[in-house]
Amino acid sequence: MTKPKYKTMGQQFGRRSWAEPWKIKMVEPIKMLTREEREKAILDAGHNTFLLRSEDVYIDLLTDSGTNAMSDRQWAGIMLGDEAYAGSRNFYNLEDAMRDHYGYKYLVPTHQGRGAEHLISQAVIEPGQYVPGNMYFTTTRLHQELAGGTFVDVIVEEAHDPSDLHPFKGNVDLEKLEDLVKREGAEKIAYISLAGTVNMAGGQPVSMANAKALRALGDQYNIRIFLDATRAAENAYFIQQREEGYQDKSVAEILLEFCSYTDGAWMSAKKDHLVNIGGWLAVNDAELFDQLRNLVVVYEGLHTYGGMAGRDMEALAIGIVESVDDHHISSRVEQVQYLGAIMLDWGIPIMQPVGGHAIFLDARSFYPHIPQDQFPAQVLASQLYLDSGIRGMERGIVSAGRDPETGDHRYPKLELTRLAIPRRVYTQSHMDVVVEATKELYDNREQTRGLKMVYEPKQLRFFQGRFESL
Ligand code: P70
């Protein structure tokens, strides 16, 4: 017999192959437009991928938020919706699931993550206070600012370097934090804003040791810690894979321990929890809970639905349980790792190490000839759509917005284009198409020119801003 010519993907990586821990029961057809059609679509969208119609997109990597595939059980849960205005049984199922897997005492449901950010910011920030955190997130920081707070970045320095291989680039730099506390006084700190797998840093995790040390510091100065738990299950998986002493613990156990070092959390359930809409806020302090429960009825809905339908809460309760399953989480994160490994192997500049939910293309290295105020990451997102109908998102100077004091652009060190992978939606073949398209752009990068902004909204300008080619 002749030597076999072909290798499976596992063999190419020197391991036994594994496959997704699910099979497909229903499909949603997608199509690729012609180059001319895509050209028209991206011009109509002002080079902003948020303004494209989803029907014009071939592989949609705009976000992993609300774009996940629900399981048959979650869909069955939809039929069990108890649409009572008050006291829906689905709320109690959600409360139980949160307590079992996150361990907080009290739950306030919200329509999505930013609803929860709004409530916690209004409740615990006094105007003039600081909110230190491990890198900003757009909506989180905006709500902190709207409540009169000032966000202060205290993430480790390594997080700002796209090629640094630190395994926990989401960690808080405890020295930076303590300096701020000593300089301003503990009473000027509203709380510590900790995010599990830091979105804007490339989906980088926080170690358990860092969370523990943060707790000690919080106790010493009497400062509370609130967790953005949006992708904390993915954070727990990285701890299991990378941190000494956690290899034999389940993701569920790790998540519970991680949360135990914090005083509460907010959640965009549209990510880890595998639903299309939903969120929550949870705290341990009874008095704070009372305050939040009063606020939620003003802005979201009654405290037993908070803007969600009963059926949404049921799908979410089931999603929480599925999200901490070790087989699920490893296949989810490893799919992202697979895409990243090939990109790195092919010399495409990406943020390293590869995070949990997305590949972040390093637009500065991609287009060194395009200055930051000509929006290289926006250019890259636009070009990727034009080349192959793949939709990503700008995460650079446009996302960073303007400094409220000076009015000038904020110039972030990271100028990234994010390709976020929805959970349980795309296969390995889709990942292969993505990496080949990106390589094509990389090979032809020198011809590409910058953009100018022709329409700029005041808040969160990346959502609706418009651009023209230079
Ligand atoms: C994304 C989405 C949402 C998000 C998050 C973290 C770490 C809170 C939220 C808000 C959607 C998005 C939001 C703003 C700009 C671009 C995209 N992230 N914390 O794609 O939650 O969307 O439910 O209100 O990642 O990363 P929600």
Side-chain angles (χ1 to χ4, degrees):
M1 220 181 81
T2 56
K3 199 165 173 279
K5 203 163 57 181
Y6 301 110
K7 280 192 171 169
T8 66
M9 197 48 67
Q11 287 166 344
Q12 292 179 44
F13 282 84
R15 53 163 165 79
R16 282 291 289 271
S17 290
W18 53 266
E20 292 78 3
W22 36 261
K23 56 185 176 174
I24 296 166
K25 191 169 333 213
M26 188 189 284
V27 297
E28 180 180 342
I30 49 177
K31 66 174 191 325
M32 165 104 95
L33 303 184
T34 62
R35 170 101 193 177
E36 291 69 47
E37 288 169 328
R38 292 198 301 277
E39 230 159 57
K40 180 172 182 315
I42 197 70
L43 279 181
D44 287 350
H47 293 276
N48 186 345
T49 51
F50 279 103
L51 301 178
L52 286 167
R53 287 176 183 234
S54 124
E55 281 199 319
D56 295 342
V57 174
Y58 178 46
I59 299 178
D60 201 349
L61 308 184
L62 182 70
T63 175
D64 63 327
S65 178
T67 53
N68 307 296
M70 290 208 294
S71 66
D72 51 357
R73 279 159 212 233
Q74 287 179 291
W75 280 108
I78 293 273
M79 295 309 290
L80 300 176
D82 169 6
E83 306 306 341
Y85 189 87
S88 160
R89 70 169 164 259
N90 312 120
F91 168 76
Y92 297 103
N93 292 342
L94 173 58
E95 194 180 50
D96 286 345
M98 184 285 291
R99 285 180 178 153
D100 287 351
H101 293 293
Y102 291 80
Y104 303 111
K105 284 195 189 133
Y106 307 109
L107 177 80
V108 178
T110 60
H111 78 286
Q112 60 182 77
R114 69 198 74 180
E117 290 169 344
H118 175 211
L119 302 184
I120 189 83
S121 302
Q122 291 297 327
V124 301
I125 300 173
E126 309 260 346
Q129 280 188 317
Y130 295 94
V131 189
N134 53 345
M135 199 172 272
Y136 83 100
F137 184 72
T138 52
T139 56
T140 317
R141 181 178 63 191
L142 180 59
H143 281 296
Q144 290 162 347
E145 287 173 353
L146 290 171
T150 302
F151 178 82
V152 183
D153 188 4
V154 292
I155 201 166
V156 291
E157 242 356 87
E158 289 89 337
H160 297 286
D161 175 357
S163 59
D164 192 291
L165 293 175
H166 192 297
F168 291 103
K169 270 167 111 171
N171 280 354
V172 170
D173 183 328
L174 297 161
E175 228 168 273
K176 275 192 204 167
L177 176 59
E178 197 163 14
D179 283 352
L180 176 78
V181 176
K182 284 189 178 146
R183 194 168 64 239
E184 302 295 341
E187 66 296 338
K188 289 278 277 185
I189 310 295
Y191 63 92
I192 298 162
S193 183
L194 179 71
T197 69
V198 181
N199 195 353
M200 300 300 280
Q204 306 296 331
V206 178
S207 70
M208 193 70 89
N210 192 246
K212 228 185 265 187
L214 204 56
R215 174 79 266 165
L217 201 125
D219 287 345
Q220 184 190 339
Y221 291 100
N222 202 17
I223 301 171
R224 287 180 291 192
I225 304 166
F226 293 110
L227 172 70
D228 183 337
T230 297
R231 298 182 184 85
E234 290 168 3
N235 197 93
Y237 176 72
F238 283 115
I239 291 175
Q240 185 192 57
Q241 297 301 305
R242 296 181 185 171
E243 195 163 349
E244 179 121 12
Y246 289 92
Q247 275 70 29
D248 297 325
K249 295 219 158 100
S250 67
V251 163
E253 289 170 302
I254 296 170
L255 179 61
L256 209 51
E257 182 187 337
F258 195 86
C259 293
S260 75
Y261 301 124
T262 67
D263 298 284
W266 68 86
M267 181 81 200
S268 170
K270 303 168 74 173
K271 283 80 165 177
D272 268 357
H273 294 164
L274 302 158
V275 287
N276 305 121
I277 193 72
W280 50 258
L281 183 57
V283 295
N284 288 329
D285 181 75
E287 228 171 276
L288 175 58
F289 171 59
D290 196 53
Q291 207 182 337
L292 294 167
R293 218 159 65 130
N294 290 331
L295 275 178
V296 76
V297 298
V298 181
Y299 294 106
E300 302 278 313
L302 193 75
H303 58 276
T304 54
Y305 77 85
M308 282 181 283
R311 53 180 172 271
D312 297 332
M313 291 190 281
E314 191 61 30
L316 168 46
I318 297 167
I320 290 180
V321 179
E322 292 182 0
S323 75
V324 295
D325 176 88
D326 285 274
H327 297 288
H328 158 71
I329 199 89
S330 79
S331 100
R332 187 281 183 283
V333 175
E334 295 303 331
Q335 184 184 42
V336 179
Q337 301 296 315
Y338 166 77
L339 178 58
I342 302 186
M343 290 215 180
L344 280 172
D345 190 51
W346 290 7
I348 299 168
I350 63 173
M351 177 94 189
Q352 296 189 63
V354 175
H357 67 302
I359 300 297
F360 289 74
L361 302 171
D362 181 6
R364 264 183 210 280
S365 313
F366 219 96
Y367 297 132
H369 57 287
I370 302 181
Q372 198 172 14
D373 60 4
Q374 293 179 14
F375 316 112
Q378 189 80 33
V379 173
L380 186 48
S382 164
Q383 289 293 318
L384 195 58
Y385 173 75
L386 194 60
D387 179 83
S388 42
I390 295 164
R391 170 155 73 169
M393 181 192 292
E394 196 268 1
R395 298 277 76 173
I397 184 169
V398 185
S399 296
R402 289 184 185 273
D403 186 309
E405 305 230 305
T406 65
D408 193 9
H409 292 304
R410 291 193 253 226
Y411 287 83
K413 288 192 193 138
L414 298 177
E415 179 71 23
L416 308 169
T417 303
R418 186 183 76 172
L419 306 178
I421 315 298
R423 296 161 189 80
R424 307 193 292 208
V425 171
Y426 292 115
T427 64
Q428 183 167 301
S429 323
H430 291 105
M431 299 301 110
D432 291 345
V433 168
V434 171
V435 69
E436 287 175 27
T438 312
K439 180 72 163 65
E440 180 78 22
L441 287 188
Y442 190 56
D443 289 344
N444 296 302
R445 61 193 180 276
E446 272 139 31
Q447 289 98 299
T448 311
R449 275 173 302 151
L451 292 168
K452 65 168 188 242
M453 204 181 326
V454 293
Y455 168 65
E456 179 176 355
K458 265 214 167 93
Q459 315 276 23
L460 304 177
R461 62 184 184 176
F462 54 90
F463 281 131
Q464 290 146 346
R466 301 185 67 85
F467 302 83
E468 276 172 16
S469 283
L470 284 168

